[in-house]
């Protein structure tokens, strides 16, 4: 039943988002620059931004079933208006043209199969680190208390990150249920693939190359992993590529309306993740290039002012909310600048600029990813293998320069500040996939009639098999539980490499915590599955914003005891060990958790050592709160 | 025709050899990774399939 509701909600979300967005594309694309497919894709992007802004307006007042249902009704009615006059005949004609092209149809069906298979895996219970820590934990806390407000008790700056996807997850948790959340995230993966394919068409290539670009993006290991999670990187990739598509469609003469669409989508890029800043910068450099290539100062002004103004308009609510909540409209960036005694967050590692690394990293991340980077994020090296095929294009590719500028500017930013996390490159992956697909297509066209045909076929077969096993293994791991053939407990407990998401421990707390009581959580991270509002993590409720300050005073054992006596915790839950896979073979190295790093936990280590847990699994344990307080008292005496 | 054809043939050969080299290098550097994954997931999949 939950699966049916999730499927229905996801489908409704897509239909409403496209309908809402089409109000925008119909109004702004008066020159008819966008074809049917582009209109659908860009409408989805605009509609998703609209839903986010609507939730952002209503949730701080009421985040309940009634408020979200009322909001959704209004949005759905507007969407009906947006769907009016949609050129269904043109869409059917486009499908017929595709059906007549055998290679294009085959590749489209394979890409769709991979995409839909991954989308359905979103119904598996969430288990990725960042989802558990804040992408889902923060919306869940808001749903628990029925209002959107800062989740100060989590004690992490991530709670005030851009909230576009968080707002979509809030709406989904309330109306669609947990299994729908990751599917909503997955829909953005399909949009990103579609945007990459549409770019290929804009560059002047056919349906088969476009479908190959979509397939190359969807089959990337990290995309398969993230599409079926509540992470936001794939959504950011989709929104960035949609903005680029609008920019390319606006053309050298800078169609005013399509530029506004581009700007609104850049606002979406900024509203999804802090990395949206450098991506917007990369898009801005592409705009400047188009402006420079344009013909008149008026067109210059359109490029330089119109799109950025639209972007700021979309991003403004987030800036104002940050200012209201933290005193810093750029929080967590530049915090000491706005808050004199504020802590500095997101401090990058010291730069170690090396020209050889700069040139070799794009190769190393594909051929030896476990040696330097964050694991096998991309899977096989097919993108790298086929990019040189661009040397065989032999003609101009309209719109390719802004795309290349986006990739170049963002890669530079990534290399200087985010290296070695390849997962942050997923944001430009639809564009890189578009270029790689064009390279593969041109290479095949030229090599097919030469003696290089069979070596090329051999490489293609190997790369397809390598990548197919990544697609398949995720399906095998997640589909049984997604379809309800396996329990969530068994899935978390038995699936290798997943560490259980603290599911059993959190379920114990959720089922046994008396109403109105608090509990202490020493989990790393504090899991989404645990009750959120009642958790005391590293700061007691009377000092819940202390972590925003530069100097955080430590607690004495006596102070901890006094607070426990005033408000006794029902439970103390503790992470006991974790698996570190940061090595070349990704072999698990089990490491005990050191409670000394916790402000409260360091005083509890000795008390917990002599107590039997109420419940435990391989990675965590639950202790009775009263017993812990007694043991702590004995230690103080 | 031989003149213009030769650079094209060289570019095709270079692109194919690049793809081969990248694929072989990936296999070489990822051997340990695959050994580990086969041992971790192999047993799990066998248990899953009963």
């Amino acid at each position: 039943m939950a699966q049916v509701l999730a499927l229905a909600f996801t489908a409704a979300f897509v239909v409403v988002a496209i309908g809402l967005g089409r109000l925008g594309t119909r109004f702004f694309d008066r020159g008819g620059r966008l074809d049917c497919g582009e209109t659908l894709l860009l409408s989805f992007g605009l509609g998703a931004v609209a839903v986010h802004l609507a939730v952002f307006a209503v949730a701080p007042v009421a985040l309940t079933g009634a408020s979200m249902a009322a909001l959704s009704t209004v949005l759905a009615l507007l969407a009906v208006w947006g769907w009016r006059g949609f050129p269904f005949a043109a869409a059917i004609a486009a499908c017929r043209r595709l059906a007549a092209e055998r290679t294009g149809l085959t590749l489209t069906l394979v890409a769709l199969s991979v995409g839909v298979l991954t989308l359905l895996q979103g119904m598996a219970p969430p288990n990725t680190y960042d989802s558990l820590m804040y992408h889902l934990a923060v919306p869940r806390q808001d749903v628990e208390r029925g209002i959107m407000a800062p989740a100060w008790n989590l004690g992490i700056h991530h709670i005030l990150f851009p909230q576009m996807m968080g707002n979509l997850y809030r709406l989904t948790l309330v109306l669609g249920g947990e299994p729908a959340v990751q599917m909503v995230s997955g829909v953005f993966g399909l949009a990103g693939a579609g945007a990459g394919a549409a770019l290929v068409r804009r560059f002047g290539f056919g349906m088969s190359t476009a479908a190959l670009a979509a397939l190359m993006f969807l089959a990337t290991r990290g995309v398969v992993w993230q599409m079926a999670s509540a992470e936001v990187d794939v959504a950011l990739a989709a929104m960035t590529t949609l903005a680029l598509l609008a920019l390319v469609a606006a053309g050298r003469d800078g169609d005013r309306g399509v530029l506004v669409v581009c700007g609104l989508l850049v606002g979406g890029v900024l509203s999804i993740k802090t990395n949206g800043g450098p991506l917007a910068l990369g898009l801005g450099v592409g705009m400047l290039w188009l402006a420079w290539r344009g013909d008149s100062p008026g067109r210059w002004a359109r490029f330089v002012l119109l799109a950025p103004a639209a972007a700021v308009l979309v991003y403004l609510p987030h800036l104002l909310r940050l200012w209201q909540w933290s005193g810093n409209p750029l929080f967590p960036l530049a915090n000491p600048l706005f808050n004199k005694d504020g802590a500095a967050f997101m401090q990058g590692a010291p730069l170690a600029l090396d020209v050889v690394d700069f040139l070799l990293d794009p190769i190393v991340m594909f051929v030896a990813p476990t040696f330097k980077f964050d694991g096998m994020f991309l899977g096989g090296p097919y993108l790298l293998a086929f990019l040189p095929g661009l040397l065989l294009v032999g003609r101009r590719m309209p719109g390719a320069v802004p795309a290349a500028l986006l990739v170049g500017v963002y890669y530079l930013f990534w290399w200087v500040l985010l290296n070695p996390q390849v997962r942050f490159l997923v944001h430009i992956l639809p564009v890189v996939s578009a270029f790689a697909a064009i390279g593969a297509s041109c290479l095949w066209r030229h090599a097919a009639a030469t003696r290089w045909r069979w070596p090329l076929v051999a490489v293609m077969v190997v790369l397809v098999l390598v990548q197919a096993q990544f697609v398949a293994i995720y399906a095998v791991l997640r589909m049984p539980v997604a379809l309800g053939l396996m329990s969530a407990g068994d899935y978390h407990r038995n699936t290798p490499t997943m560490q259980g998401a603290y599911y059993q421990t959190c379920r114990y707390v959720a089922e046994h915590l008396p109403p109105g009581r608090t509990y202490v959580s020493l989990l790393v991270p504090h899991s989404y599955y645990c009750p959120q509002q009642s958790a005391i993590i590293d700061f007691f409720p009377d000092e819940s914003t202390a972590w925003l300050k530069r100097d955080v005073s430590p607690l004495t054992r006596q102070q901890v005891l006094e607070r426990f006596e005033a408000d006794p915790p029902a439970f103390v839950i503790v992470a006991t060990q974790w698996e570190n896979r940061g090595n070349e073979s990704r072999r698990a190295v089990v490491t005990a958790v050191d409670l000394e790093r916790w402000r409260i936990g360091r005083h509890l280590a000795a008390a917990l050592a002599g107590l039997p847990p109420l419940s435990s699994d391989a990675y965590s344990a639950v202790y009775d709160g009263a017993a812990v307080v007694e043991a702590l008292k004995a230690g103080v005496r | 025709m031989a003149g213009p054809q030769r650079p094209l043939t060289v570019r095709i050969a270079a692109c194919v050899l690049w793809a081969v080299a990248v694929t072989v290098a990936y296999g070489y550097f990822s051997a340990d990774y695959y050994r580990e994954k086969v041992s971790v997931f192999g047993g799990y999949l066998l248990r899953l399939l009963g």
Side-chain angles (χ1 to χ4, degrees):
Chain A
M1 186 59 196
Q3 281 87 353
V4 175
L5 179 64
L7 286 168
F9 180 88
T10 308
F13 171 76
V14 172
V15 171
V16 170
I18 292 175
L20 282 174
R22 189 156 179 272
L23 291 171
T25 49
R26 192 166 57 197
F27 181 78
F28 290 117
D29 182 30
R30 299 201 177 160
R33 291 289 180 102
L34 306 174
D35 69 23
C36 186
E38 290 171 340
T39 301
L40 278 176
L41 286 164
L42 297 182
S43 297
F44 172 76
L46 287 184
V49 169
V51 176
H52 144 63
L53 290 174
V55 175
F56 213 14
V58 174
V61 181
L63 181 63
T64 60
S67 71
M68 290 298 106
L71 177 68
S72 299
T73 306
V74 173
L75 295 177
L77 289 173
L78 287 169
V80 170
W81 189 23
W83 273 102
R84 270 181 40 205
F86 182 81
F88 287 104
I92 292 167
C95 291
R96 284 203 177 123
R97 279 198 301 278
L98 173 62
E101 196 186 323
R102 205 172 57 178
T103 311
L105 180 65
T106 307
L107 286 169
T108 303
L109 290 177
V110 174
L112 267 178
S113 305
V114 171
V116 171
L117 186 66
T118 309
L119 188 71
L120 293 176
Q121 291 167 43
M123 289 189 288
N127 62 26
T128 61
Y129 192 93
D130 287 356
S131 305
L132 300 174
M133 182 164 78
Y134 60 99
H135 288 311
L136 284 176
V138 172
R140 171 176 169 161
Q141 181 159 165
D142 288 344
V143 173
E144 277 179 13
R145 58 190 164 191
I147 195 167
M148 181 183 178
W152 298 126
N153 67 327
L154 296 185
I156 47 174
H157 63 268
H158 310 64
I159 60 168
L160 295 185
F161 275 167
Q163 283 297 307
M164 176 169 155
M165 295 309 290
N167 282 332
L168 301 186
Y169 299 158
R170 283 178 181 89
L171 175 74
T172 309
L173 279 173
V174 172
L175 294 183
E178 183 187 286
V181 173
Q182 298 180 126
M183 288 183 70
V184 166
S185 162
V187 164
F188 283 85
L190 296 182
L199 270 181
V200 170
R201 298 284 288 155
R202 280 275 166 189
F203 295 162
F205 291 83
M207 273 311 302
S208 52
T209 310
L212 182 61
L215 177 59
M216 283 181 160
F217 173 68
L218 288 169
T220 311
R221 179 180 178 273
V223 173
V224 175
W225 167 53
Q226 289 213 344
M227 261 181 75
S229 78
E231 306 280 319
V232 301
D233 294 309
V234 168
L236 184 55
M239 200 58 78
T240 303
T241 315
L242 290 171
L244 176 65
L245 178 63
L247 179 63
V248 171
R252 277 176 54 185
D253 58 337
D255 181 275
R256 193 180 302 165
V258 180
L259 272 179
V260 173
V261 171
C262 170
L264 295 172
L265 292 167
V266 173
V269 169
L270 293 167
S271 302
I272 290 177
K273 189 171 174 130
T274 311
N275 298 43
L279 289 164
L281 182 69
L283 289 161
V285 172
M287 273 178 212
L288 286 176
W289 186 86
L290 285 169
W292 175 60
R293 302 283 293 179
D295 310 322
S296 70
R299 290 188 173 121
W300 257 92
R302 280 183 215 163
F303 277 112
V304 175
L305 297 177
L306 208 55
V312 169
L313 200 66
V314 170
Y315 192 49
L316 201 57
H318 178 70
L319 293 177
L320 295 175
R321 196 60 56 76
L322 281 184
W323 200 3
Q324 176 197 352
W325 282 342
S326 72
N328 171 9
L330 302 177
F331 188 91
L333 301 173
N335 196 41
L337 209 63
F338 292 91
N339 294 307
K340 224 181 283 176
D341 56 348
F345 301 103
M346 294 180 77
Q347 301 279 73
L351 301 183
L353 303 180
D354 184 316
V355 177
V356 177
D357 278 351
F358 181 76
L359 297 174
L360 287 183
D361 276 355
I363 298 173
V364 176
M365 76 175 70
F366 281 100
V367 299
T370 59
F371 281 67
K372 177 173 179 180
F373 299 99
D374 48 341
M376 190 68 70
F377 187 85
L378 299 163
Y382 58 94
L383 297 174
L384 181 68
F386 294 122
L387 275 172
L390 289 170
L391 295 171
L392 302 169
V393 171
R395 63 174 172 81
R396 284 171 50 84
M397 289 169 28
V401 174
L405 285 171
L406 167 66
V407 171
V409 168
Y410 187 71
Y411 175 75
L412 187 63
F413 166 85
W414 173 86
W415 189 79
V416 172
L417 286 180
L418 299 176
N419 189 359
Q421 295 203 65
V422 176
R423 79 183 174 101
F424 291 132
L425 285 177
V426 76
H427 311 139
I428 50 172
L429 223 46
V431 186
V432 176
S433 299
F435 284 130
I438 291 169
S441 169
C442 290
L443 180 56
W444 176 252
R445 202 174 64 239
H446 284 94
T450 70
R451 60 183 158 170
W452 294 102
R453 175 192 177 99
W454 292 113
L456 184 58
V457 168
V459 167
M460 285 177 165
V461 168
V462 170
L463 291 174
V464 165
L465 289 176
V466 164
Q467 210 58 27
Q469 50 100 23
F470 286 115
V471 173
I473 191 72
Y474 274 112
V476 170
L477 294 181
R478 297 193 290 209
M479 281 310 280
V481 68
L483 297 177
L485 304 173
M486 179 191 282
S487 74
D490 283 346
Y491 172 69
H492 286 301
R493 193 167 36 249
N494 299 332
T495 309
T497 77
M498 288 189 182
Q499 301 198 50
Y502 302 126
Y503 184 77
Q504 180 181 316
T505 289
C506 288
R507 290 307 307 158
Y508 185 92
V509 174
E511 286 164 13
H512 294 89
L513 186 69
R517 294 286 301 277
T518 58
Y519 68 100
V520 174
S521 168
L522 304 174
L523 300 182
V524 191
H526 177 66
S527 172
Y528 151 78
Y529 289 109
C530 281
Q532 297 295 316
Q533 203 187 349
S534 46
I536 295 169
I537 295 174
D538 218 14
F539 295 87
F540 287 98
D542 60 298
E543 48 164 19
S544 63
T545 57
W547 57 271
L548 293 165
K549 307 287 183 204
R550 186 183 301 125
D551 299 313
V552 178
S553 57
L555 289 166
T556 64
R557 185 174 295 199
Q558 187 60 41
Q559 286 172 317
V560 172
L561 196 52
E562 283 166 11
R563 282 184 162 92
F564 279 170
E565 283 175 331
D567 180 15
F571 304 109
V572 174
I573 60 175
V574 188
T576 51
Q577 59 181 21
W578 61 290
E579 287 182 1
N580 179 8
R581 293 178 184 271
N583 52 60
E584 289 170 12
S585 68
R586 304 281 126 177
R587 189 170 289 118
V589 177
V590 176
T591 310
V593 170
D594 180 13
L595 293 183
E596 285 298 315
R597 58 165 283 204
W598 294 89
R599 192 161 162 268
I600 298 173
R602 60 199 297 259
H603 298 297
L604 304 184
L608 292 171
L611 291 176
L614 296 172
S615 164
S616 65
D617 60 20
Y619 302 101
S620 59
V622 185
Y623 293 90
D624 177 56
V628 173
V629 173
E630 283 307 311
L632 194 60
K633 271 185 199 168
V636 170
R637 282 197 293 270
Chain B
M1 285 304 288
Q5 279 297 334
R6 185 161 298 156
L8 179 64
T9 310
V10 170
R11 274 184 284 161
I12 293 168
C15 287
V16 174
L17 288 174
W18 168 261
V20 171
V22 162
T23 307
V24 170
Y26 170 79
Y28 175 77
F29 287 114
S30 305
D32 271 356
Y33 171 85
Y34 278 98
R35 263 194 290 276
E36 166 67 9
K37 290 300 168 195
V38 167
S39 87
V40 169
F41 287 105
Y44 174 74
L45 293 179
L46 287 176
R47 280 197 304 278
L48 197 68
L49 297 171

